[in-house]
Every structure is written in C-alpha cells, then in structure tokens.
Amino acid sequence: MVTWKAKCSTCCLLSYRSDRNETRKVNCSERMMWKYSPDSDPALRIYPVNLGDEGSYICEVVSSEGNFDFFSSLSVTVPPTVTLTCDKSRAAVCQAAAGKPAADISWIPASNHSTEEEVHHLDGTVTRVSHIDWVNSTLPTITCPVTHPTANQTLSLSCKE
C-alpha cells in the first residue's frame, strides 16, 4: 500500500492498495495525481503547481518488508513582473511585482540616493519598488537590473523631458 498526504488534517490523501488494485483520492484537486502507474512508480505529480500546494508531504509505504515514511517539502517560486517607469517628478521607478521570493533591485549607474519599498501579499508573494531621482542627471538613460532565482531582467529608460 502506498499513500501520499500533505501535512494537514484536511489536505489531499492519495492512496493505492496493490492487493486490491484500488486507488483512493480524498480532498485532492484534479491537479494531484500519480505521476505514472502507482503499482510501478508511486511518485506524486502536481500539475500545474500553485502557491497553495507549498508545504510538506509524506509518502507512506506499507509492504511485507515493513512500513516506510518518506518526507518531501515543496517550495514554490514565482517570477515577478518587472516594470521601469518615470514618475511625474522625473524619478525612475523600478518595480518587481508579486515575486516569490522577493526580487533584488539595483541601479546603473549606482546611487546611494535610491529608496525602496516592499509589500508582502497574502499569497506569500512580495512586491519591491525602488525609486531613484533622475532630475539632475546628465546621463541619457537609467538601467534597472532585477535579480531573481527564476530569471534576471535588465530594463533601461530615459527620464529626460
């Protein structure tokens, strides 16, 4: 017998009993299924994965050799939506919205006069916004490199009138 379950009382329970060739699915979304056939490979497949799937999972295997528990932890990474704009006061505004984990924002040319805000959303994602004053700059463009585990992005913009 093989059973997959999430570490919570009301979460998904996916089980297979080989002596009866019987499968059960309790509180599981349609996205949670056996990766292959549970009698040959009892791997769990979650597709497409979403933030709500994050957490700990246990695979319990019961056989004539004994009972075995395998623990797995699922962490979901979300790429941010990156934008670079100029506000009314001609400050450059670089935003990395709804990423998980939070993205890192820097500026080229580098400046000690940038400010950064961070908003934590209920779904676990984070939006970072960085502002840099561009009014007195003699350079034609500002560049905003954004670093994130899913991908790095670099945006450039002119904030001149």
Side-chain angles (χ1 to χ4, degrees):
M1 185 166 161
V2 177
T3 304
W4 274 101
K5 57 185 169 183
K7 281 185 115 179
C8 70
S9 58
T10 60
C11 291
C12 173
L13 176 79
L14 186 64
S15 64
Y16 170 71
R17 189 167 169 170
S18 61
D19 62 340
R20 295 185 185 168
N21 195 23
E22 179 181 281
T23 59
R24 283 185 56 204
K25 200 173 184 180
V26 179
N27 293 330
C28 298
S29 80
E30 292 178 5
R31 298 175 302 100
M32 294 183 174
M33 64 199 84
W34 299 105
K35 185 173 181 181
Y36 302 108
S37 174
D39 59 343
S40 62
D41 183 355
L44 175 65
R45 179 177 188 224
I46 304 172
Y47 184 81
V49 71
N50 65 39
L51 282 169
D53 301 323
E54 196 167 65
S56 298
Y57 292 80
I58 302 170
C59 177
E60 297 175 342
V61 177
V62 177
S63 70
S64 57
E65 287 85 31
N67 298 356
F68 305 93
D69 289 345
F70 302 94
F71 299 90
S72 183
S73 180
L74 175 62
S75 179
V76 178
T77 305
V78 179
T81 301
V82 179
T83 57
L84 176 59
T85 58
C86 295
D87 67 14
K88 292 176 186 173
S89 63
R90 285 201 1 222
V93 181
C94 187
Q95 177 175 281
K100 186 170 183 293
D104 291 320
I105 298 173
S106 56
W107 292 100
I108 300 173
S111 171
N112 294 333
H113 302 291
S114 64
T115 59
E116 194 167 278
E117 304 162 27
E118 190 171 278
V119 177
H120 293 261
H121 305 286
L122 293 175
D123 64 0
T125 61
V126 179
T127 294
R128 276 207 177 137
V129 182
S130 182
H131 304 262
I132 189 169
D133 184 22
W134 199 242
V135 174
N136 297 321
S137 177
T138 57
L139 296 170
T141 60
I142 185 83
T143 301
C144 169
V146 176
T147 307
H148 190 266
T150 59
N152 297 332
Q153 297 182 47
T154 301
L155 302 179
S156 295
L157 181 68
S158 175
C159 287
K160 298 290 185 192
E161 292 184 298

